[in-house]
Amino acid sequence: MTDFDVIIAGGGPVGLGLAIELGQRDIKVLVIERFHSRLLIPKGQNMTQRTAEHFRAWQVVKEMRAKAPVPREVASTGATGYGTLTGPYTYEWLKRGSVNAYYAEAPVRMPQYCTEWVLRDRAEAIENITILYDWTVEGHSQSADGVSVDIKETKGEGVRTYKGKYLVGCDGAWSKVREDAGIEQAVDARGRRMILTVVNSPELSKLVDEKFPGMDFFNVLVPELEGYWQFLGRVDMEGDWFFHRPVASDTDADNVDVRALLTGAVGVDFDLEVKYLGFWDLRFAQAKTYRSERVFVAGDAGHAHPPYGGYGVNSGFEDVRNLGWKLAAVLKGWAGETLLDSYQEERHPVFASTRDDFIAKMIDVDAAFTASFNPAQDKAAFEAAWAERSKPQAEVNQFVPNYAGSSLVAGEGRPSALGAHSFAAESGYHLAPATLSDGSCVYDHLGQDFSLVVLNGEAEAVEATANAANSYGIPLNVLRLTATEETTRWGADCLLVRPDHFVAYAGTSDSEAISNCLMASTGNKVVEYV
């Protein structure tokens, strides 16, 4: 007999997100979290538009915006500087707001601990979720029908054992669950020791407000760092800032001069108070598989990378949005067990692409630039190259995690983080929002099940798909829409939208193709699409 359907190791933002995703689907969940208290360290701040859509699905988006210490108007744009932030060479960088129209929500900027507070409140309000704070997962064992999880009081001697049908490790980069499951990692140790400090400096805030109005995060390039960033940003509007920077391998709290490092990056002297100081090792790591029978890993337990560009917590949230509906479908009996293999199939290559095509690429491109151009040696060549860099960058528009070519969707391709934002509906891609004839957004109607969105579909196609869904007990929401200017941008008569709001099928009212896609999307039937 199992105590819970799913046991989650780790009650950080990713673990809580998975708990909410499952709890809202009437799945019985236990979350084991080592600490109730939180260090107020502002990591994981840049929440993308897609993450805000998750918050919407988890019914917390209003609460997130209310808690956000940085207002929306300054929460999605930064600047890059050369030499110093206040020097002659800067340009606008990472304009996240430029792709707002392709999502149902705008980005949110808030420290991870604020995000956790909101998610904790939401999880604790869901009857199916139990959270044990100040307990640590000590180990687990698997059987044919479940997982047994041993836990211990973090600061005490109490021990317990719980049984679940599945275990998900959301317990960070040094995951105990991953280790005990025998899941190996591929690690690229870059050999860089990094400092993370939080300071309070109203003077820095005033300086930034004057030189960079409406911006809130910045990086500064210098040749000696070989492409690795000096990265600073607002924690709030009250003068708190975070700062990351590579340092010598023997640097510690006794010999580091935070003021010299930060004022050196900015380029002017200012008063500051150090509120937090820590160190971390820059590396890339990815689990070779995200599943070992009844055990899964998500978030940093599955993949870790430097905090460049805000990809970390956003990738973790997308992991659990992908895994959550699949676990629920299998537990409720309307999907086959093979559906769970698609979590690896879809999410693993997306992170690999995020690492290679965005984060590592940024480091390599910046290293090549600083090695090749220097205003002190050839000002004209540097300024020409800097002007080229200053043109609108493609990264924001190209970062489009997708599941093209997955066995769960129609069409060809390969899951990746590379793409191009488009309003056109395409199999394997996130559905762009559209305003309907009554003025509402389509995201107000998609819900948490599969949705068949019909614009010009024939009744026969709708009936055939509904019959296929009924035969397997698959919950299907049918939306018959009157075409509007925005829905026509999808370029399809019928859409099959997955519970995570990715498109499984986009095309004509082909009843056989739509029904087969629905079966393939739930692991009930293997279908190959040409």
Side-chain angles (χ1 to χ4, degrees):
M1 179 179 178
T2 57
D3 302 302
F4 295 91
D5 294 319
V6 178
I7 298 176
I8 300 171
V14 173
L16 291 169
L18 178 58
I20 295 167
E21 182 77 17
L22 293 167
Q24 289 184 165
R25 301 174 186 278
D26 298 324
I27 301 300
K28 192 177 181 183
V29 179
L30 172 64
V31 180
I32 309 296
E33 169 51 37
R34 290 182 298 168
F35 303 109
H36 186 273
S37 60
R38 280 288 183 256
L39 288 175
L40 303 185
I41 305 171
K43 54 185 178 178
Q45 291 202 121
N46 290 310
M47 309 294 177
T48 64
Q49 295 91 336
R50 175 61 181 160
T51 289
E53 288 183 348
H54 303 329
F55 295 158
R56 180 186 184 124
W58 297 335
Q59 302 175 36
V60 294
V61 70
K62 292 181 180 178
E63 291 79 2
M64 289 292 183
R65 298 203 187 282
K67 286 279 188 183
V70 179
R72 187 185 302 190
E73 58 268 22
V74 294
S76 59
T77 301
T80 292
Y82 180 88
T84 68
L85 190 59
T86 54
Y89 302 113
T90 59
Y91 60 81
E92 202 169 6
W93 165 72
L94 211 63
K95 296 177 65 175
R96 292 196 187 280
S98 63
V99 296
N100 278 357
Y102 299 99
Y103 297 88
E105 294 288 345
V108 181
R109 182 171 173 80
M110 61 194 300
Q112 180 170 306
Y113 52 82
C114 289
T115 304
E116 288 186 30
W117 291 339
V118 175
L119 293 179
R120 280 185 178 189
D121 287 345
R122 174 63 181 142
E124 289 169 0
I126 297 175
E127 184 177 356
N128 296 309
I129 299 174
T130 300
I131 306 178
L132 292 180
Y133 295 111
D134 297 321
W135 287 80
T136 301
V137 172
E138 290 286 289
H140 73 267
S141 60
Q142 296 195 55
S143 65
D145 58 356
V147 182
S148 180
V149 181
D150 299 320
I151 68 173
K152 179 181 179 296
E153 283 185 297
T154 303
K155 297 180 180 180
E157 299 301 322
V159 294
R160 298 179 186 176
T161 298
Y162 289 99
K163 296 184 183 299
K165 294 176 182 175
Y166 297 97
L167 170 64
V168 184
C170 300
D171 50 342
W174 307 103
S175 170
K176 175 69 171 170
V177 169
R178 184 190 64 234
E179 178 183 346
D180 288 350
I183 297 174
E184 297 181 354
Q185 288 192 103
V187 179
D188 176 4
R190 294 294 180 107
R192 285 282 183 169
R193 183 165 174 81
M194 304 289 292
I195 184 176
L196 166 59
T197 185
V198 179
V199 306
N200 181 265
S201 178
E203 283 190 50
L204 176 58
S205 295
K206 182 179 179 182
L207 182 154
V208 168
D209 288 340
E210 291 173 352
K211 185 172 176 62
F212 302 102
M215 299 186 190
D216 74 333
F217 51 90
F218 310 89
N219 73 58
V220 182
L221 305 179
V222 291
E224 58 266 30
L225 295 184
E226 300 176 322
Y228 294 96
W229 292 358
Q230 301 176 94
F231 186 38
L232 63 148
R234 298 181 192 270
V235 177
D236 54 36
M237 304 303 288
E238 309 303 320
D240 281 357
W241 290 79
F242 71 83
F243 178 54
H244 291 272
R245 187 193 191 279
V247 292
S249 59
D250 61 352
T251 304
D252 58 30
D254 294 327
N255 61 27
V256 69
D257 187 339
V258 171
R259 179 178 182 135
L261 292 177
L262 182 51
T263 59
V266 175
V268 297
D269 194 24
F270 50 85
D271 289 332
L272 60 87
E273 173 195 357
V274 177
K275 300 178 68 174
Y276 171 80
L277 176 62
F279 299 90
W280 54 278
D281 294 325
L282 189 151
R283 68 179 195 139
F284 293 94
Q286 185 175 22
K288 294 183 179 180
T289 178
Y290 288 177
R291 180 186 187 186
S292 175
E293 299 179 354
R294 290 183 170 271
V295 177
F296 299 83
V297 291
D300 287 351
H303 44 78
H305 60 78
Y308 286 10
Y311 297 104
V313 71
N314 295 295
S315 294
F317 281 140
E318 196 70 73
D319 287 347
V320 298
R321 194 78 194 282
N322 182 290
L323 178 61
W325 75 266
K326 295 173 181 178
L327 281 170
V330 173
L331 286 164
K332 290 191 170 184
W334 54 264
E337 174 74 20
T338 58
L339 177 64
L340 298 178
D341 292 331
S342 69
Y343 172 58
Q344 162 81 12
E345 176 192 3
E346 294 185 336
R347 294 302 302 159
H348 200 273
V350 168
F351 174 77
S353 174
T354 301
R355 177 195 62 214
D356 298 339
D357 298 322
F358 292 91
I359 306 171
K361 181 181 177 182
M362 284 190 285
I363 295 172
D364 294 341
V365 167
D366 288 347
F369 175 83
T370 55
S372 302
F373 303 100
N374 188 319
Q377 297 172 358
D378 188 336
K379 184 176 181 180
F382 174 87
E383 290 185 343
W386 189 256
E388 188 65 27
R389 283 181 62 107
S390 302
K391 293 178 180 178
Q393 300 91 42
E395 285 89 348
V396 171
N397 187 55
Q398 291 178 341
F399 183 64
V400 186
N402 66 84
Y403 308 134
S406 157
S407 62
L408 302 196
V409 304
E412 299 178 346
R414 182 179 183 275
S416 168
L418 268 174
H421 281 89
S422 174
F423 291 111
E426 186 175 351
S427 294
Y429 285 77
H430 160 269
L431 178 68
T435 300
L436 306 185
S437 58
D438 63 358
S440 64
C441 175
V442 68
Y443 272 70
D444 296 332
H445 306 278
L446 291 176
Q448 61 182 20
D449 299 320
F450 276 89
S451 293
L452 179 62
V453 182
V454 184
L455 289 170
N456 300 303
E458 299 173 2
E460 180 182 348
V462 176
E463 183 178 357
T465 305
N467 288 339
N470 288 335
S471 66
Y472 285 92
I474 302 169
L476 178 69
N477 176 34
V478 178
L479 296 177
R480 295 178 181 272
L481 304 181
T482 300
T484 66
E485 181 179 352
E486 293 191 5
T487 60
T488 56
R489 297 185 305 196
W490 290 332
D493 294 334
C494 285
L495 305 175
L496 182 64
V497 182
R498 301 178 358 166
D500 55 2
H501 300 161
F502 278 77
V503 178
Y505 171 90
T508 61
S509 304
D510 184 331
S511 59
E512 182 177 359
I514 299 170
S515 298
N516 284 346
C517 186
L518 179 64
M519 294 298 100
S521 294
T522 55
N524 284 304
K525 182 179 180 182
V526 177
V527 179
E528 293 186 359
Y529 293 92
V530 179

